[in-house]
């Protein structure tokens, strides 16, 4: 039997209020850790520069819209640029890789991106790591109606190699907008844990020849007939994904395209563009953080209230302990220890809550953006929150502890009437 | 002169009434108790006997005078040091036993050890066996009869091998038969453990059992005046 035994006994004697307090602390800790961890991970995922491209060339307009549309497959396309611009930039010595994108179709709400084989043969989305196809798959033939599916979309739609699908027009799924062309899945990508997992990749030629598509590159509408060679002047691309030789190249191209030019927009560097987005929506994050802090304070208050409310009934208990030789500091410590124990158990429970929230956020964020959150990734909030809560709990325990400290022994030892 | 275990000299304690008047409750010029001695003090209700015991136990600080217990001047010690001396040197049997309801009999006894000699479950068990509760060690106070609770309180008072056991109306809540048994148990247990016993009671039958008994009215000079003019402050300390 020791001081901890007294604490354990007290928690058992006031089981309901202890339980409710522990749960509230657990929720507060879990929520706080989640807010910080999800914030940090989404920020890193969207601004960490791990998307594989250095810049995006697209129609004149918002850099942010361009990046969201092409890198994260969100938002609408700001418009098209001529094929000639793609050719020009791909031959620029400052550019090491230029891959055209054509967007505007979907299948069951998942985006279809028309591109070239280079996306699977030359592009690396992180250092030395290109897209890997699952065994049995191969890169599409650019002249055929073939598709490579991102891992997530294949899993969600239940499509495998050999499956066929018919695209729908537009970025939003509408049953009335179905094209006539049928595409065959020739490969499923290994997971990248990024936005590419949510994409159906087809040859860019397929976008041009999709039934109902009108090409306006030459200024007048043109519909490609089967087998007809499409003159380059008719072609347009939604964007060109660029890898640059060095940061200097980005600086020069930025000046040339964004400041001197009037035709196109270069989103560079992508991380800065996304950071601007986070700066713009930073208030949401700040509000969430404040709410989390508020919940922590409320939890601390509930610790204070739950222990303080037991003080009247426990005055006699403290008096007896004092009469048995316990010092004032001992009963004081017992209460602080009790508050700390509640927060410690609550903080441990908080990790379960954190795991639950992250699991839910994992599903939502992956479904919406393809970004995969990692519950086990270290974040300072994962130790600072529990430690902070334990300290705060101990602090909340000071008020009832002081009341216990001041318990008058003699008057509280009298027989109960 | 025997070696005094307890030597009280010029002890005074006053309390403030709600009106702010200071009322002298205890005024004991001299009281002594030898090691192993058993003394009964008769005190009517309101005579200051609980305050007297609380002063000796160091629960209350005296206004004046000295209390020397086992060579330590209690009145010169800080509150923390008095707590330490009380834990190690004194066993206290309260009229209403003051057992902690959430704890079993053996836990209540071990609780008595927690702040004193250190928790020794075997000794706690032996003490409960000694008071005839070997079959009730895991019972909570609410599951025990009044007499059994009394015995747990006795076992707890002896847990730290105290030199002095203070008993405040220990038979006040018991019927005559159980009171006699309990008293005998306390006295025997104190003898076996080499502890002196200072017992206060208003019951003449209890006093008759002791070789030495004193009247608090004689010891406490404030008691007479106090009895003549009852003070409201008694509520504070259950005099």
């Amino acid at each position: 039997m020791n001081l901890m035994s007294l604490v354990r006994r007290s928690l058992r004697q006031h089981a309901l209020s202890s339980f409710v307090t522990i749960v509230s602390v657990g929720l507060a800790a879990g929520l706080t850790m989640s807010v910080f961890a999800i914030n940090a991970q989404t920020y890193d995922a969207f601004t960490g520069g791990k998307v594989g491209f250095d810049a995006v060339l697209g129609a004149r307009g918002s850099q942010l819209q361009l990046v969201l549309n092409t890198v994260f497959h969100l938002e609408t396309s700001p418009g098209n640029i001529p094929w000639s611009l793609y050719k020009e930039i791909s031959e620029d010595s400052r550019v090491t890789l230029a891959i055209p994108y054509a967007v505007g179709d979907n299948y069951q709400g998942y985006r279809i991106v028309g591109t070239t084989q280079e996306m699977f043969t030359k592009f690396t989305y992180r250092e030395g790591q290109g897209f890997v196809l699952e065994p049995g798959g191969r890169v599409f033939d650019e002249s055929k109606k073939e598709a490579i599916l991102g891992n997530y979309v294949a899993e969600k739609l239940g499509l495998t190699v050999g499956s066929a699908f018919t695209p729908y027009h537009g970025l939003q799924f509408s049953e009335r907008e179905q094209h006539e062309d049928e595409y065959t899945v020739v490969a499923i990508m290994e997971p990248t844990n990024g936005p590419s997992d949510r994409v159906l990749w087809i040859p860019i030629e397929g976008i041009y020849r999709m039934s109902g598509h009108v090409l306006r590159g030459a200024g007048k509408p043109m519909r490609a007939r089967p087998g007809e060679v499409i003159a380059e002047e008719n072609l347009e691309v939604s964007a060109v994904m660029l890898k640059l030789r060095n940061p200097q190249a980005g600086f020069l191209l930025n000046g040339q395209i964004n400041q001197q030019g009037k035709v196109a927009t270069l989103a560079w560097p992508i991380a800065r563009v996304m950071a601007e987005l986070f700066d713009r929506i930073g208030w949401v994050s700040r509000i969430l953080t404040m709410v989390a802090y508020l919940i922590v304070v409320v939890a601390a208050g509930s610790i204070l209230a739950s222990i303080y409310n037991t003080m009247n009934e426990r005055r006699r208990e403290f008096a007896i302990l004092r009469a048995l030789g316990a010092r004032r500091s001992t009963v004081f410590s017992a209460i602080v220890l009790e508050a700390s124990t509640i927060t410690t158990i609550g903080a441990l429970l908080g990790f379960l809550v954190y795991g639950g929230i992250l699991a839910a956020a994992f599903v939502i964020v992956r479904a919406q953006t393809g970004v995969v959150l990692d519950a086990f990734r270290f974040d300072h909030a994962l130790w600072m929150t529990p430690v902070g809560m334990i300290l705060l709990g101990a602090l909340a325990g000071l008020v009832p502890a002081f009341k216990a400290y001041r318990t008058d022994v003699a008057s509280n030892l009298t027989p109960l009437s | 002169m025997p070696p005094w275990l307890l030597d009280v000299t010029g002890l005074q304690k006053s309390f403030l009434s709600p009106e702010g008047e200071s009322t002298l409750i205890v005024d004991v010029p001299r009281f002594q108790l030898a090691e192993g001695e058993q003394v009964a003090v008769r005190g009517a209700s309101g005579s200051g006997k609980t305050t007297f015991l609380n002063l000796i136990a160091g629960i209350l600080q005296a206004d004046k005078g000295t209390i020397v217990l086992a060579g330590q001047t209690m009145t010169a010690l800080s509150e923390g040091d008095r707590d330490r001396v009380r834990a190690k040197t004194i066993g206290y049997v309260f009229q209403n036993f003051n057992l902690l309801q959430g704890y079993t009999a053996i836990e209540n006894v071990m609780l008595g050890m927690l702040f004193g000699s250190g928790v020794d479950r075997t000794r706690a068990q032996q003490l409960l066996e000694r008071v005839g509760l070997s079959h009730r060690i895991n019972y909570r106070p609410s599951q025990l009869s009044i007499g059994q609770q009394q015995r747990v309180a006795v076992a707890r008072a002896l847990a730290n091998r105290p030199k002095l056991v203070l008993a405040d109306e220990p038979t006040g809540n018991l019927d005559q038969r159980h009171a006699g048994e309990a008293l005998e148990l306390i006295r025997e247990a104190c003898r076996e453990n080499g502890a002196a016993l200072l017992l206060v009671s208003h019951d003449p039958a209890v006093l008759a059992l002791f070789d030495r008994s004193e009247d608090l009215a004689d010891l406490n000079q404030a008691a007479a005046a106090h009895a003549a003019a009852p003070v409201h402050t008694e509520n504070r300390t259950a005099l």
Side-chain angles (χ1 to χ4, degrees):
Chain A
M1 180 168 281
N2 51 34
L3 210 56
M4 199 60 214
S5 313
L6 301 179
V7 170
R8 224 172 18 237
R9 195 55 54 104
S10 172
L11 292 180
R12 207 183 304 166
Q13 274 183 293
H14 310 101
L16 182 63
S17 68
S18 301
F19 174 76
V20 171
T21 313
I22 285 168
V23 169
S24 73
V25 170
L27 287 173
L31 202 62
T32 307
M33 290 190 287
S34 303
V35 165
F36 281 102
I38 292 173
N39 250 343
Q41 287 195 39
T42 49
Y43 186 88
D44 287 352
F46 284 95
T47 66
K50 292 175 185 168
V51 292
F53 294 105
D54 299 318
V56 185
L57 181 68
R60 195 73 177 169
S62 158
Q63 292 188 27
L64 177 61
Q65 188 182 359
L66 194 55
V67 171
L68 286 174
N69 182 247
T70 56
V71 178
F72 296 101
H73 306 292
L74 303 166
E75 266 276 4
T76 53
S77 167
N80 294 331
I81 55 173
W83 180 264
S84 56
L85 210 50
Y86 156 60
K87 296 299 284 181
E88 191 181 322
I89 196 89
S90 63
E91 287 161 8
D92 193 307
S93 59
R94 293 166 294 188
V95 174
T96 57
L97 182 65
I99 299 178
Y101 271 11
V103 299
D105 292 310
N106 79 90
Y107 180 64
Q108 303 285 332
Y110 292 96
R111 291 197 178 197
I112 292 172
V113 175
T115 187
T116 61
Q117 287 183 337
E118 287 174 311
M119 194 68 194
F120 303 93
T121 55
K122 293 185 179 173
F123 171 67
T124 55
Y125 63 94
R126 67 170 73 107
E127 194 66 38
Q129 177 67 60
F131 289 150
V132 178
L133 304 181
E134 286 187 353
R138 61 170 174 79
V139 176
F140 54 62
D141 182 331
E142 289 187 350
S143 64
K144 291 183 177 170
K145 293 178 181 178
E146 293 179 341
I148 296 173
L149 269 52
N151 193 277
Y152 180 78
V153 70
E155 178 194 318
K156 284 290 165 188
L157 297 177
L159 297 175
T160 56
V161 172
S163 301
F165 67 92
T166 306
Y168 294 81
H169 189 67
L171 295 177
Q172 303 296 324
F173 174 62
S174 168
E175 282 186 15
R176 291 178 300 178
E177 301 288 336
Q178 191 165 28
H179 290 292
E180 292 168 1
D181 310 66
E182 187 176 89
Y183 277 78
T184 304
V185 178
V186 295
I188 309 291
M189 289 162 57
E190 294 278 6
T192 64
N193 293 335
S196 304
D197 290 349
R198 299 177 66 251
V199 174
L200 298 93
W201 307 89
I202 66 170
I204 196 165
E205 187 82 7
I207 297 285
Y208 298 145
R209 294 183 181 280
M210 194 81 73
S211 63
H213 276 188
V214 179
L215 304 176
R216 300 176 197 274
K220 54 182 181 181
M222 182 258 178
R223 290 174 193 269
R225 286 185 295 271
E228 178 188 8
V229 175
I230 308 170
E232 282 193 1
E233 63 183 37
N234 289 306
L235 299 180
E236 290 178 299
V237 295
S238 302
V240 184
M241 313 304 288
L242 301 173
K243 281 213 175 200
L244 305 177
R245 196 165 297 285
N246 50 43
Q248 179 78 5
F251 185 76
L252 293 172
L253 283 169
N254 181 45
Q256 186 183 324
I257 296 169
N258 291 337
Q259 287 159 21
Q260 296 159 25
K262 291 180 178 172
V263 183
T265 293
L266 183 78
W268 173 87
I270 290 172
R272 177 193 54 80
V273 174
M274 291 307 296
E276 279 176 11
L277 168 68
F278 275 83
D279 287 347
R280 243 184 273 176
I281 61 169
W283 60 271
V284 176
S285 162
R286 282 194 292 277
I287 286 177
L288 279 176
T289 308
M290 281 171 64
V291 169
Y293 283 142
L294 198 63
I295 292 170
V296 168
V297 171
V298 170
S302 75
I303 295 169
L304 192 155
S306 77
I307 298 179
Y308 196 86
N309 286 341
T310 66
M311 281 298 117
N312 273 348
E313 65 180 88
R314 292 168 74 181
R315 272 190 308 191
R316 187 157 168 271
E317 177 184 327
F318 296 136
I320 294 170
L321 293 175
R322 292 289 322 281
L324 293 175
R327 295 182 178 202
R328 283 186 193 274
S329 57
T330 305
V331 291
F332 182 91
S333 305
I335 297 299
V336 174
L337 185 62
E338 184 173 328
S340 307
T341 303
I342 286 173
T343 40
T344 302
I345 299 171
L348 292 175
L349 180 69
F351 281 102
L352 283 181
V353 175
Y354 166 75
I357 293 174
L358 260 281
F362 174 94
V363 174
I364 296 166
V365 174
R366 189 180 180 206
Q368 296 298 317
T369 68
V371 168
V372 172
L373 301 178
D374 178 7
F376 298 103
R377 198 185 92 163
F378 175 76
D379 191 291
H380 285 295
L382 296 182
W383 71 266
M384 288 172 77
T385 304
V387 169
M389 289 218 67
I390 291 167
L391 292 176
L392 201 60
L395 204 63
L398 290 180
V399 176
F402 190 63
K403 193 169 184 181
Y405 181 90
R406 295 187 60 187
T407 299
D408 182 73
V409 182
S411 61
N412 285 294
L413 283 176
T414 55
L416 298 173
S417 56
Chain B
M1 188 176 74
W4 299 118
L5 173 70
L6 175 68
D7 190 355
V8 177
T9 310
L11 184 66
Q12 287 190 355
K13 179 68 181 175
S14 301
F15 288 109
L16 284 178
S17 69
E19 292 78 30
E21 290 173 19
S22 178
T23 307
L24 189 62
I25 303 297
V26 171
D27 182 5
V28 177
R30 189 84 185 186
F31 179 78
Q32 290 165 318
L33 184 69
E35 283 184 8
E37 189 180 11
Q38 299 195 343
V39 176
V41 175
R42 192 182 76 78
S45 182
S47 61
K49 56 184 187 296
T50 299
T51 304
F52 182 51
L53 292 187
N54 283 345
L55 285 165
I56 292 170
I59 290 172
L60 293 174
Q61 173 70 307
D63 296 336
K64 281 184 185 172
T66 57
I67 299 169
V68 179
L69 174 66
Q72 303 223 50
T73 306
M74 294 287 278
T75 39
L77 297 177
S78 66
E79 186 184 55
D81 287 337
R82 292 202 309 274
D83 292 336
R84 185 175 47 78
V85 172
R86 179 165 66 254
K88 291 180 182 294
T89 316
I90 296 174
Y92 210 139
V93 182
F94 303 93
Q95 179 179 354
N96 56 333
F97 321 132
N98 280 333
L99 299 179
L100 286 176
Q101 294 302 315
Y103 295 74
T104 62
I106 194 163
E107 286 169 342
N108 264 286
V109 178
M110 290 195 293
L111 209 54
M113 299 169 165
L114 183 59
F115 312 108
S117 56
V119 175
D120 180 348
R121 190 179 174 87
T122 307
R123 175 165 168 77
Q125 203 160 343
Q126 285 168 351
L127 283 166
L128 286 170
E129 283 170 12
R130 171 64 189 87
V131 299
L133 287 178
S134 56
H135 59 304
R136 293 280 191 274
I137 61 171
N138 291 318
Y139 282 49
R140 293 178 193 282
S142 58
Q143 298 168 310
L144 298 172
S145 68
I146 296 292
Q148 288 169 332
Q149 290 181 43
Q150 160 73 290
R151 292 191 223 174
V152 176
V154 172
R156 186 180 65 184
L158 294 166
N160 291 318
R161 295 185 172 83
K163 292 183 174 171
L164 172 64
V165 171
L166 302 174
D168 185 4
E169 296 277 15
T171 58
N173 285 336
L174 303 177
D175 60 40
Q176 202 169 3
R177 185 171 71 83
H178 286 103
E181 286 174 9
L183 203 58
E184 197 48 44
L185 176 68
I186 293 171
R187 297 189 67 191
E188 273 180 32
C190 285
R191 266 196 292 273
E192 288 164 11
N193 285 273
L197 173 65
L198 174 56
L199 180 146
V200 297
S201 174
H202 68 281
D203 184 355
V206 171
L207 304 172
L209 296 172
F210 284 76
D211 295 334
R212 179 186 163 195
S213 65
E214 307 257 1
D215 194 330
L216 194 59
D218 299 332
L219 290 174
N220 184 8
Q221 296 180 353
H226 190 258
V231 283
H232 306 291
T233 51
E234 290 187 4
N235 302 345
R236 294 189 54 200
T237 51
L239 297 174

